[in-house]
Amino acid sequence: MDCFDKLEVLIESGGVDVVERARVWLGQITVESKAAAQAVDELLIDLMTLAFLVESGREALQISARRLARARLSKLRVLHRA
């Protein structure tokens, strides 16, 4: 399982420690462009939002936050392969 797959599982599982765990996996990705670096930052912000929503118990909003984080991860995956 590569780090992108692990990040996807992490997004689905959620949790309050999602950001710390994601930083470990994101550290293994070689960022070669400004766009990829920005995608990493955006993904981390989305994961911080998800962690907040999980911690505050706002389940309805967690669905949207997960969807957005998955979209950012897909963007990062494409930028990484380019």
Side-chain angles (χ1 to χ4, degrees), residues 14-29:
V16 295
D17 64 339
V18 68
V19 176
E20 292 80 16
R21 292 170 56 200
R23 284 184 187 188
V24 172
W25 296 116
L26 287 168
Q28 296 180 5
I29 298 172

Side-chain angles (χ1 to χ4, degrees), residues 4-5 10 13 23-25 34-36 38-39 50-51 53-55 61 63 66 69 72 75 78:
F4 288 106
D5 293 335
L10 185 61
S13 64
R23 284 184 187 188
V24 172
W25 296 116
K34 186 175 180 178
Q38 184 176 356
L50 177 59
L53 294 172
V54 167
E55 190 173 358
L61 295 174
I63 296 168
R66 280 191 175 92
R72 302 268 194 208
K75 177 182 177 181
V78 167

Side-chain angles (χ1 to χ4, degrees), residues 50-76:
L50 177 59
F52 170 77
L53 294 172
V54 167
E55 190 173 358
S56 64
R58 298 181 178 173
E59 291 183 31
L61 295 174
Q62 290 176 32
I63 296 168
S64 297
R66 280 191 175 92
R67 186 178 320 125
L68 184 57
R70 281 192 305 271
R72 302 268 194 208
L73 182 59
S74 294
K75 177 182 177 181
L76 180 59

Side-chain angles (χ1 to χ4, degrees), residues 3-4 28-33 36 74-82:
C3 59
F4 288 106
Q28 296 180 5
I29 298 172
T30 304
V31 178
E32 298 179 2
S33 69
S74 294
K75 177 182 177 181
L76 180 59
R77 188 177 277 161
V78 167
L79 289 170
H80 184 261
R81 291 182 183 158

